[in-house]
Amino acid sequence: MKKSKLFIFAIALAAVLMISCSKRNTLISSWKITAVEPKIPISDSLKTVILTDGTLTFTKDGHVTGFLTREITNGTYALTKGGKSLVIKDEVGTPYPCVSTITSDELILDSKEMKITLKKI
């Protein structure tokens, strides 16, 4: 009886891990910003810079590099809530939380400052 409970628990744990990791695996890649929808006023020049230079690269080991509103050279990220919540931290640990929508070729990051759409490159 004990072995069967342990076996069922192991199967359930494996299923949860596979589901939670599937969005992370989809996120691991390089992405280019294709649209910016500000929720607070930003200058046209900043919006242009974000669209021109905006990229993010996510790695398997939890690191992120790229450019959002400024350069991120050695950041980290955490994806939680089944891929619905993404927190990017820059080099000094400043968190940038957002609601994330991840598909095979599109990433949407919705924060309190802006909504950004990225395409896989």
Side-chain angles (χ1 to χ4, degrees):
M1 184 69 135
K2 219 177 210 185
K3 287 184 180 180
S4 66
K5 286 183 181 179
L6 183 61
F7 179 72
I8 291 171
F9 175 75
I11 295 294
L13 180 63
V16 168
L17 288 174
M18 285 176 30
I19 290 169
S20 65
C21 291
S22 65
K23 288 291 183 183
R24 183 180 175 111
N25 289 339
T26 305
L27 181 65
I28 297 168
S29 188
S30 292
W31 302 84
K32 171 76 176 124
I33 295 176
T34 57
V36 177
E37 298 173 37
K39 295 180 181 177
I40 58 173
I42 64 171
S43 68
D44 287 339
S45 61
L46 177 57
K47 186 175 179 179
T48 300
V49 169
I50 293 170
L51 286 169
T52 304
D53 299 336
T55 61
L56 290 174
T57 299
F58 298 92
T59 62
K60 287 182 183 181
D61 62 357
H63 286 87
V64 61
T65 57
F67 184 90
L68 285 173
T69 57
R70 63 181 199 82
E71 191 76 27
I72 300 172
T73 56
N74 190 23
T76 59
Y77 71 93
L79 189 61
T80 59
K81 297 180 183 175
K84 301 283 186 209
S85 177
L86 177 67
V87 177
I88 297 172
K89 291 186 178 180
D90 62 15
E91 300 75 30
V92 295
T94 305
Y96 299 96
C98 53
V99 175
S100 56
T101 305
I102 306 167
T103 66
S104 62
D105 65 343
E106 185 176 70
L107 170 62
I108 299 172
L109 303 178
D110 195 354
S111 70
K112 64 180 182 181
E113 294 88 14
M114 64 184 72
K115 182 177 179 180
I116 299 173
T117 303
L118 301 97
K119 296 286 184 186
K120 193 176 276 191
I121 51 176

